[in-house]
Amino acid sequence: MPENNGAPEDSEWIRVGDVSGTVVVGNQNNVTVHSGPLPDPVRRQPISQLPRSAVEPLIGRERDVHILQEVIKAGQLVQVWGASGVGKSALLRHLACRTPSGPEDVAYVEAGGRTADDIAQAIFDISFHAPNYKPSPEVLKEHLKTLRLRIYLDDAGLDEKDLRRLFDMAEKSTFVFTSQQRSALDGVHTIQLEGLKAPAAAELVGALLSRKLRPDEAPIVDALCDAVDGNPLQLRRIALSAATGKGLPGIADLPELLPALLNRLRPPERDLLYLLGSLSGAELAARHLDDLLGLPDSDALADGLVRHGLLLASETGYSCPPDVAECVLNIRKTEFPADRLCRAFTAWAEARDTTADDVAAHFQALDVAVLRAERSGHAQLGAALARAASPKLALSRQFDAWGSLLGVGWKAAKTAGDKDGEEFFLREARTRRRALGRAAQTTALVLEAEVLWRELTALHAHSAAHQVANTAPAATPPVHAFTPTHGAGSTQALSHSAVSTPATSAPAHTALPAHPARPVVDLSQASAPPHAAPHATGAHATAPHATGAHSAAPIPKRIDLSSAHSSVARSPHTAGTTTATGTGHTALTAAGAAAAKGGISALALACALGLVAVLGVGAAVYANHRPNSTPVATSSSDSTPNPIDDASATDDTALTDDTALSDDTAPTVDPVCATVISELSSKIERFNTDAAIASAAVGSYNSDMASYNSGATSIAPDDSTVLSHTGTVISDLGSVESTLQGAISQAQDSSVVSDLNDMLTATQQIQSLYQSYKNDPRGSEVDASSQALAMNSASDSLQTDCGAA
């Protein structure tokens, strides 16, 4: 990506293309909006961004390379998928450097942790000379669709909807991308990369030992290769075991191989793994390793650990595989000090020679540092780091990464009691919204503050969940019993039976055949509500302990609805994944296991106005089906009160014993509060759970309908399941309505009656929307976000009037 060169000063700005006549200008450590002209991007000639050459040649992948080159030449969208450590990134870099580009230009992009919008901006920056220009999505698409590129995306963890949106933006370009999970997107040629065969495994181990294997070692390596499914990362560790003088391990030794290897490392190497293992999979450049460890040769040490499968290398720097991180942290029983991380990163971010692109390349490490600082008693240092990095991250034009940093920075400022910091992050969030063209959708300052609060809460929750997922250990290939005969019958290294010849291959981005228009149901998915979002930071499956901020007294669960949007709605392939119902809210859902370096699965987190937006690092989270025992995985129990209510909260907590209300002046609480809050809580919880199930059913139905619309299937999908779940949601709302009506008839306090009436009105409106959809689902939507906002506002007021707040 072209560099911005220098710190954000008054002479630098981001020209924003989605609000006519505005620019975003860096001013010390604030980003503000001013007027100015928009540039005319100039296409680079030629467009060429290639990865650095691999240090070592590929071993055992000759046939794989040949097959992939043939598929790429056919102009298809290609995905290479497979387990962590199988060599996808090395293969992709090799293809990018060695495959003739033909008439196409070439762009290589590391996509790990990035959203579709940030990836699209990176492609724009590679392809056009337009310093500091941030086009609107519409303008961006107009520029990208003129390109004819071959784009290599490494570690693209986007879901199908975001992948399709990205592919459609650059419709004349072809994509070759890697990820851990197979994509079900139509028009993508998926190829599974499997482990090495025994001869290639022996060659790799021999190359790492710098000698040929002895006759007695060959059968051992053969057996070990079979035991680890030919995984190159595991084979590198096996070679390291032999290189340290202990000889090749036996199959029985494999489960304890990693701890044994770590114990044999030199102290500087262990310190390096300890540092990177504390960053939840985030990458660091060599200069940060030198600064944080005080070592002059961190780069050489890291390269040696990469060679032996204990670190991963990328264009940015180095990262620690999840299983190595888990092992290192278990040995140390602690993490690298968060205060040291924050101080070092803050000084680096403030340095004049640190460019915006340098900061953007480390956005995941910055998020982790701020999160860890907030949780470890150094919240003020975390907030200071986020403030220092924010303007340069804005200048990088990676606005989703910027939003993520604003979210974690805002939460750190709240935890530290830093009111000035909170205001800073709210101002920057407002600037970001304006730059993204959302300011016109908020008409009142108070309402805008509510939206910003919810958005920042969602961003913080996403970053925390992202950190937790990246600490989960990578799936280790199973250890199989040794079978002495495996040769001709062994599994092929690359599944390619579906490879089409150029004559029969469907062209990339083939238009859908003409069919009569058929309805596509698009029902809003439930998203993590603001008051519960921080509790999602440590759990992806169930979270029975995360019941909200007011644990002392039962309070009504929040109605949790968001507006639907075609570009960010739930992927049908995530619909059946882990969902938390313990708190009555939909948990952040999975689209596969977390990558070692990280990839993302897009999940829309909508704000209260139904403004569906990709927030932070995709406003999407990794999820993992494996338990996480690392210290980073601990969830935060901090509540996140609305900043609008901060003044009243401060006044309440400022009361001393001398100024507290006496018993005879204490307010009288309406007796109905004792029963209605508890009853509403359970019924709204049931509604939120059933609404999430209905949303998942709609996702599956949409997928089937898309297949029908495209002509892939000839029978229209049955909508009975979707309508059945919708009926259940309507029934839940009827039960809530009944409870509210009963409470209204019994309530004595006029304020409580008013709160209950407001809740009843919103409930009836939501019920009416669902009923309208059930009666006529053709092309309709359920957008109850504004009603949910009114419902939650009335609920907050009820809690206050009932003495629960």
Side-chain angles (χ1 to χ4, degrees):
M1 185 186 303
E3 295 186 349
N4 292 311
N5 299 322
E9 299 175 339
D10 291 337
S11 60
E12 290 188 288
W13 55 83
I14 300 172
R15 299 176 176 89
V16 181
D18 45 2
V19 180
S20 178
T22 65
V23 296
V24 180
V25 180
N27 179 16
Q28 297 178 354
N29 68 342
N30 287 278
V31 179
T32 54
V33 177
H34 295 283
S35 297
L38 297 179
D40 184 15
V42 177
R43 181 170 173 172
R44 301 180 191 275
Q45 296 292 347
I47 300 171
S48 179
Q49 172 122 338
L50 296 175
R52 59 191 181 192
S53 299
V55 176
E56 298 175 352
L58 288 178
I59 293 177
R61 297 300 190 191
E62 295 82 4
R63 181 169 175 271
D64 305 346
V65 170
H66 175 73
I67 292 171
L68 280 164
Q69 286 180 336
E70 290 300 314
V71 177
I72 292 170
K73 289 178 183 177
Q76 300 186 45
L77 298 170
V78 183
Q79 181 202 29
V80 180
W81 67 281
S84 175
V86 79
K88 302 182 297 295
S89 295
L91 179 60
L92 190 73
R93 286 194 292 266
H94 179 91
L95 288 170
C97 292
R98 305 294 176 85
T99 301
S101 61
E104 300 173 313
D105 290 322
V106 178
Y108 173 87
V109 179
E110 290 194 324
R114 287 181 172 180
T115 66
D117 291 330
D118 280 358
I119 293 171
Q121 179 68 39
I123 296 170
F124 173 84
D125 291 336
I126 291 169
S127 305
F128 293 94
H129 179 72
N132 299 334
Y133 179 36
K134 176 70 175 178
S136 68
E138 296 77 18
V139 174
L140 182 62
K141 183 176 181 178
E142 287 300 312
H143 286 298
L144 294 187
K145 74 179 184 180
T146 66
L147 301 174
R148 183 175 175 81
L149 295 175
R150 182 178 301 159
I151 302 169
Y152 295 89
L153 293 181
D154 190 21
D155 195 20
L158 304 176
D159 70 3
E160 281 75 15
K161 288 183 179 294
D162 281 334
L163 279 173
R164 174 53 65 194
R165 184 161 62 92
L166 180 62
F167 297 161
D168 288 345
M169 290 180 76
E171 59 187 23
K172 294 181 181 179
S173 298
T174 59
F175 288 80
V176 184
F177 64 101
T178 67
S179 55
Q180 287 198 32
Q181 302 299 314
R182 183 182 182 275
S183 172
L185 189 66
D186 291 340
V188 174
H189 190 102
T190 60
I191 297 177
Q192 182 178 8
L193 186 64
E194 297 183 348
L196 299 176
K197 296 180 182 179
E203 183 181 353
L204 175 61
V205 173
L208 293 169
L209 294 175
S210 301
R211 61 175 176 80
K212 289 186 177 181
L213 296 180
R214 298 191 302 268
D216 61 309
E217 292 177 321
I220 298 176
V221 172
D222 195 17
L224 290 169
C225 175
D226 189 55
V228 300
D229 288 339
N231 186 284
L233 199 68
Q234 303 295 328
L235 290 169
R236 288 178 178 275
R237 297 172 185 176
I238 289 169
L240 176 60
S241 178
T244 56
K246 297 293 184 178
L248 290 168
I251 292 177
D253 300 324
L254 289 178
E256 298 300 322
L257 177 61
L258 187 53
L261 291 176
L262 296 180
N263 286 331
R264 297 174 202 166
L265 296 177
R266 293 175 294 154
E269 293 172 320
R270 289 199 294 268
D271 290 344
L272 182 54
L273 292 178
Y274 170 53
L275 167 59
L276 290 172
S278 300
L279 293 177
S280 307
E283 300 173 346
L284 283 185
R287 64 163 293 176
H288 296 296
L289 304 180
D290 294 339
D291 293 343
L292 288 164
L293 296 175
L295 299 174
D297 57 348
S298 296
D299 208 353
L301 286 177
D303 285 338
L305 294 172
V306 169
R307 177 178 172 83
H308 291 294
L310 298 178
L311 283 182
L312 302 172
S314 70
E315 301 298 289
T316 299
Y318 304 94
S319 63
C320 193
D323 59 339
V324 177
E326 181 184 35
C327 190
V328 168
L329 296 181
N330 283 339
I331 292 172
R332 292 287 182 111
K333 306 300 183 184
T334 185
E335 294 177 295
F336 193 89
D339 57 335
R340 288 178 58 187
L341 288 174
C342 287
R343 289 190 176 95
F345 287 153
T346 300
W348 166 72
E350 291 175 343
R352 295 183 60 83
D353 62 345
T354 300
T355 69
D357 292 323
D358 289 338
V359 175
H362 288 83
F363 75 93
Q364 295 181 80
L366 297 175
D367 277 4
V368 171
V370 176
L371 280 166
R372 288 198 44 229
E374 181 222 333
R375 295 172 179 171
S376 62
H378 300 286
Q380 191 63 59
L381 290 176
L385 169 58
R387 289 191 68 158
S390 174
K392 287 185 178 177
L393 196 49
L395 284 171
S396 75
R397 290 90 64 209
Q398 299 286 289
F399 269 29
D400 290 341
W402 180 32
S404 179
L405 185 72
L406 294 178
V408 294
W410 169 78
K411 183 57 169 59
K414 284 194 71 69
T415 300
D418 178 6
K419 295 298 182 183
D420 180 65
E422 288 182 57
E423 292 175 2
F424 168 84
F425 291 112
L426 283 171
R427 285 196 306 271
E428 298 300 88
R430 185 178 294 112
T431 297
R432 177 175 176 269
R433 290 182 60 79
R434 290 172 180 169
L436 291 172
R438 299 177 190 159
Q441 299 170 346
T442 53
T443 58
L445 180 60
V446 173
L447 190 58
E448 183 184 40
E450 172 77 4
V451 171
L452 292 171
W453 166 69
R454 292 172 182 268
E455 186 164 317
L456 286 171
T457 302
L459 291 168
H460 171 267
H462 156 255
S463 297
H466 169 90
Q467 179 194 4
V468 169
N470 268 356
T471 63
T476 302
V479 177
H480 307 298
F482 171 49
T483 304
T485 57
H486 69 285
S490 63
T491 305
Q492 296 296 317
L494 185 71
S495 300
H496 60 90
S497 57
V499 175
S500 305
T501 63
T504 60
S505 300
H509 311 293
T510 303
L512 296 179
H515 288 285
R518 304 176 176 96
V520 176
V521 181
D522 197 357
L523 192 65
S524 302
Q525 69 179 49
S527 64
H531 87 286
H535 300 280
T537 61
H540 297 280
T542 57
H545 61 287
T547 56
H550 303 285
S551 58
I555 60 174
K557 303 292 182 183
R558 283 186 176 270
I559 289 286
D560 185 13
L561 297 172
S562 60
S563 173
H565 191 284
S566 60
S567 66
V568 290
R570 178 194 302 271
S571 164
H573 304 285
T574 66
T577 54
T578 321
T579 303
T581 59
T583 64
H585 305 296
T586 306
L588 301 178
T589 53
K597 292 189 299 179
I600 62 172
S601 307
L603 177 67
L605 296 179
C607 69
L609 293 179
L611 308 177
V612 179
V614 181
L615 307 176
V617 188
V621 295
Y622 305 152
N624 200 288
H625 301 294
R626 296 182 294 278
N628 188 342
S629 59
T630 64
V632 183
T634 58
S635 64
S636 170
S637 60
D638 296 335
S639 62
T640 56
N642 189 327
I644 298 173
D645 300 326
D646 280 350
S648 59
T650 302
D651 292 341
D652 291 342
T653 56
L655 292 174
T656 65
D657 292 341
D658 294 333
T659 59
L661 293 173
S662 62
D663 292 342
D664 57 352
T665 61
T668 301
V669 177
D670 194 312
V672 78
C673 294
T675 56
V676 68
I677 290 182
S678 177
E679 190 173 352
L680 281 176
S681 180
S682 62
K683 289 187 175 182
I684 292 177
E685 176 176 354
R686 186 182 304 114
F687 161 73
N688 282 334
T689 300
D690 291 338
I693 294 172
S695 177
V698 170
S700 177
Y701 179 77
N702 281 347
S703 177
D704 294 340
M705 184 61 76
S707 298
Y708 180 50
N709 284 336
S710 68
T713 58
S714 58
I715 301 176
D718 184 4
D719 61 5
S720 60
T721 299
V722 171
L723 297 181
S724 173
H725 287 306
T726 305
T728 301
V729 172
I730 293 171
S731 176
D732 293 341
L733 290 166
S735 181
V736 173
E737 179 183 8
S738 177
T739 297
L740 289 169
Q741 288 174 336
I744 291 169
S745 67
Q746 300 173 28
Q748 300 173 13
D749 185 273
S750 60
S751 297
V752 172
V753 172
S754 176
D755 298 335
L756 292 169
N757 274 316
D758 290 343
M759 293 182 71
L760 177 62
T761 299
T763 300
Q764 291 171 337
Q765 291 173 346
I766 295 172
Q767 186 178 22
S768 176
L769 288 170
Y770 273 93
Q771 188 62 57
S772 297
Y773 164 75
K774 188 173 186 293
N775 293 340
D776 184 14
R778 293 176 297 177
S780 62
E781 296 179 356
V782 176
D783 178 6
S785 51
S786 59
Q787 291 81 5
L789 176 60
M791 178 87 168
N792 290 332
S793 177
S795 173
D796 290 340
S797 181
L798 178 64
Q799 294 166 36
T800 300
D801 293 332
C802 283

